[in-house]
Amino acid sequence: RKRRAEQDEHEDLLDVLVHAKYQSGEMLSEDEICGMLLATLFAGQHTSSITSTWTLACIASSKRVMTEVMKEQEETTDGYKEQLSCDVVTNMQFLENCMKEALRMYPPLITLMRQTKVPMTIEGYEIPVGTTLVVSPAASMRCEDVFEKPDVFNPWRYDNWTETYQNSYIAFGGGLHRCLGERLAFLQVRSILSVLLRDFDIELVSSFPTINYDSMVAGPR
């Protein structure tokens, strides 16, 4: 309310939301602005933390993967030992593939919901307008007809990224409501893992963790 009453312009997200309008010309409500700010500030915290944990556990569980990851770290961070840059992290393609594969096998959000805007027919079932459809990335991204040997952690599968993968990989959702923070998540998690992998010797000291489905975000138990 205070920001809307001010005449000064501010170069921040709050100012963008305060002045945003729908196509109808209607301004965002205070509840909508608060919701978007909360989502922006907190939505990526638990998911990124858990994704970092799963990715590191998957890397540590395979000597071959760990060797390839460390080789890439040496090549990409040469000359940048003390400070990472966006360009350096972006070049960590194999580490990104590891993250993609960990997200495929252990997505932090196990359900995605969409509401139908038009009537649909799927596999002979009539879906009326207003129906809430629920899809599970945890189940969909382990389909054998799309991902060969889906229960095997294989970062190399993304060396040949196909349209089939593009349409079936839904760790960040899909369509118009695909997660806006996807690229930030890849940058953030790779930065964290790069520092941990280069500064510490990582190994699993117990069996590979099981998934905790009792939590809103599915992390290791």
Side-chain angles (χ1 to χ4, degrees):
R1 292 176 183 176
K2 179 180 178 181
R3 181 63 66 87
R4 275 185 166 161
E6 294 177 356
Q7 298 297 322
D8 298 333
E9 292 186 2
H10 301 269
E11 295 183 355
D12 57 28
L13 178 60
L14 177 57
D15 210 56
V16 172
L17 295 176
V18 165
H19 292 93
K21 297 180 181 179
Y22 288 104
Q23 290 181 347
S24 63
E26 181 183 359
M27 305 287 286
L28 297 179
S29 69
E30 291 181 3
D31 285 343
E32 289 172 324
I33 293 175
C34 289
M36 291 181 186
L37 284 174
L38 286 172
T40 303
L41 291 172
F42 299 112
Q45 297 298 318
H46 295 305
T47 50
S48 292
S49 174
I50 286 176
T51 298
S52 299
T53 304
W54 279 123
T55 305
L56 203 56
C58 289
I59 291 173
S61 68
S62 170
K63 184 177 180 179
R64 181 189 175 202
V65 172
M66 178 65 81
T67 299
E68 187 67 24
V69 166
M70 297 311 298
K71 177 183 175 183
E72 181 182 68
Q73 288 301 303
E74 292 178 6
E75 293 173 349
T76 56
T77 61
D78 185 30
Y80 296 88
K81 300 298 183 182
E82 301 300 326
Q83 183 175 358
L84 291 175
S85 69
C86 182
D87 290 338
V88 172
V89 176
T90 302
N91 287 330
M92 298 176 184
Q93 186 58 54
F94 188 72
L95 187 57
E96 177 172 321
N97 289 351
C98 290
M99 183 181 165
K100 283 181 180 177
E101 184 71 340
L103 280 167
R104 181 190 68 79
M105 299 182 71
Y106 307 101
L109 301 179
I110 59 174
T111 57
L112 299 174
M113 292 182 286
R114 297 289 186 267
Q115 190 175 73
T116 54
K117 298 297 184 182
V118 296
M120 303 176 65
T121 301
I122 301 177
E123 298 291 334
Y125 291 93
E126 298 293 333
I127 313 291
V129 173
T131 301
T132 299
L133 303 178
V134 180
V135 176
S136 172
S140 299
M141 292 192 294
R142 292 212 187 199
C143 290
E144 293 183 349
D145 57 339
V146 178
F147 300 98
E148 184 179 357
K149 297 181 179 179
D151 296 330
V152 176
F153 183 76
N154 177 20
W156 287 275
R157 72 171 78 243
Y158 303 101
D159 290 342
N160 298 307
W161 186 263
T162 64
E163 186 175 346
T164 300
Y165 275 5
Q166 184 68 42
N167 295 332
S168 301
Y169 188 88
I170 54 174
F172 292 90
L176 294 176
H177 295 283
R178 189 178 184 88
C179 177
L180 295 175
E182 179 177 357
R183 294 318 306 169
L184 175 62
F186 277 113
L187 183 65
Q188 181 184 44
V189 172
R190 279 184 293 175
S191 298
I192 293 169
L193 296 185
S194 176
V195 173
L196 292 176
L197 287 163
R198 287 182 292 112
D199 288 356
F200 301 94
D201 294 326
I202 307 295
E203 63 177 304
L204 291 176
V205 296
S206 61
S207 58
F208 196 86
T210 57
I211 305 172
N212 180 14
Y213 288 119
D214 295 331
S215 172
M216 181 178 72
V217 182
R221 185 178 295 279

